[in-house]
Amino acid sequence: MVPLLLREKIFRQIAISLLGTLLACSSGCQFWRRTGVSSASTLASRQYVQEAVDSLQANHRSDAFTRLELAVKANPENYEARVLLADLLWESGSHEDAILQMQRATQNKDATAEMFVKLAWMYYETEEYGLAQKNLQRGLKRNASLADGWVLQGKLYEHDGKLPQAIAAFHQAVFYNPEESRAPLCLSDCYLKNQQPQRALETILAAKSKCPAGQETAEMLYREGLAMSQLKRYDEAARVLALAATKSDDPKIRESLAGLQKQTNPAVSADVTPQYGSQVTP
């Protein structure tokens, strides 16, 4: 599953981008005329959203939450307010309430593809995989070029054990967005599960080549180490995993490194992180 912190960052990006149309819209635009809510209420709702955005930019999240609640109360049809409110609820751990807000937002006939994909990710994170797939299909039907949607499609295929389809979906994500950072990690995971360590290694090395020297993430190094281990390049795998351990205290990295230390000389990793080896040696 994609780490929640990463998903929350993505949710914020989607939510802010969805406000572009709202904030650029004049007070007499079509959206506000067709809501069936009084013009005074719709304008008040819009003002509350603008104030909420200002609060978010100043990192005053509690005030932003209050402003968004007022925006929704003033105009229940303001789906942009609901998207931002869902984002704040999700970050606070109120996942059911966040999903409820996104459900209401996507009921609007002007709901965007990004909104459906956002809701699909929320369902995925709460292990409602059927609802995740249903809403993802709605999103991709509206816009088939959303890389974020193809990453999720790959994750859903992977969950169902359909590795070839998952690999194809992750490649679609890269096709639509060559800078998509999650797809290489997901691709390498699928290649490793599919007993294709060389492809997994090539995928990660290609992703690493885009990073400045020394800026590789622990997740990249972890997968590189696993691929090398499957290729029986144990010494190299131990060195890479030891380096990954200096960037993260993730237990899976410690466990993988400890396992490799049983197959090779512990000094292989100790010369990279001597203080770390003593922590993980059984």
Side-chain angles (χ1 to χ4, degrees):
M1 195 172 290
V2 176
L4 285 178
L5 287 177
L6 178 58
R7 295 263 22 100
E8 289 162 5
K9 178 180 179 181
I10 295 165
F11 291 165
R12 287 195 296 272
Q13 292 172 341
I14 294 174
I16 294 295
S17 68
L18 287 171
L19 287 172
T21 301
L22 170 68
L23 299 180
C25 184
S26 66
S27 61
C29 74
Q30 186 179 2
F31 168 77
W32 300 114
R33 289 202 304 269
R34 64 170 171 264
T35 59
V37 182
S38 70
S39 60
S41 295
T42 56
L43 289 174
S45 182
R46 182 186 182 191
Q47 180 61 35
Y48 284 134
V49 171
Q50 179 62 70
E51 293 172 357
V53 172
D54 293 340
S55 294
L56 286 173
Q57 292 174 343
N59 203 31
H60 297 156
R61 311 191 80 73
S62 178
D63 182 67
F65 185 86
T66 299
R67 297 295 174 182
L68 290 170
E69 285 190 317
L70 290 171
V72 170
K73 184 177 180 180
N75 180 12
E77 299 300 318
N78 189 339
Y79 59 86
E80 290 91 347
R82 290 190 182 278
V83 170
L84 274 181
L85 184 57
D87 186 58
L88 292 179
L89 287 166
W90 184 271
E91 288 183 359
S92 70
S94 300
H95 293 173
E96 290 185 6
D97 291 336
I99 288 174
L100 179 61
Q101 290 296 331
M102 284 306 303
Q103 287 174 335
R104 290 291 302 275
T106 55
Q107 288 171 4
N108 192 291
K109 69 177 183 179
D110 294 321
T112 66
E114 290 84 356
M115 290 164 60
F116 282 102
V117 171
K118 181 185 178 78
L119 177 57
W121 269 112
M122 288 182 170
Y123 278 128
Y124 176 81
E125 292 292 351
T126 53
E127 300 183 355
E128 295 282 354
Y129 301 116
L131 290 171
Q133 183 65 67
K134 180 179 179 180
N135 282 278
L136 177 60
Q137 289 177 340
R138 290 173 175 172
L140 290 179
K141 184 177 180 180
R142 287 166 170 78
N143 184 357
S145 64
L146 290 178
D148 189 50
W150 285 106
V151 171
L152 178 53
Q153 183 64 82
K155 296 297 291 183
L156 288 167
Y157 279 138
E158 184 181 4
H159 174 266
D160 292 339
K162 300 177 180 179
L163 295 181
Q165 293 93 324
I167 289 171
F170 293 134
H171 277 296
Q172 280 290 95
V174 175
F175 172 78
Y176 287 119
N177 181 10
E179 301 305 315
E180 166 55 55
S181 61
R182 296 156 295 166
L185 301 179
C186 296
L187 271 171
S188 64
D189 287 341
C190 287
Y191 284 134
L192 289 170
K193 290 179 181 179
N194 211 34
Q195 300 300 310
Q196 295 176 274
Q198 186 59 44
R199 292 297 302 274
L201 182 59
E202 292 169 355
T203 299
I204 287 299
L205 291 179
K208 284 179 60 180
S209 69
K210 298 180 180 180
C211 298
Q215 298 295 313
E216 304 90 345
T217 67
E219 290 295 321
M220 288 180 179
L221 295 168
Y222 171 66
R223 287 162 175 80
E224 182 182 359
L226 293 184
M228 288 180 170
S229 180
Q230 281 195 18
L231 291 167
K232 304 187 185 304
R233 295 163 56 177
Y234 299 122
D235 288 356
E236 294 171 274
R239 288 181 181 275
V240 172
L241 288 173
L243 182 56
T246 67
K247 296 174 177 283
S248 171
D249 59 358
D250 192 325
K252 69 186 179 186
I253 298 177
R254 295 198 299 269
E255 292 168 5
S256 297
L257 180 56
L260 276 174
Q261 287 176 329
K262 294 179 181 179
Q263 303 179 56
T264 188
N265 186 348
V268 169
S269 60
D271 64 1
V272 178
T273 59
Q275 77 281 10
Y276 182 79
S278 62
Q279 296 175 7
V280 298
T281 302

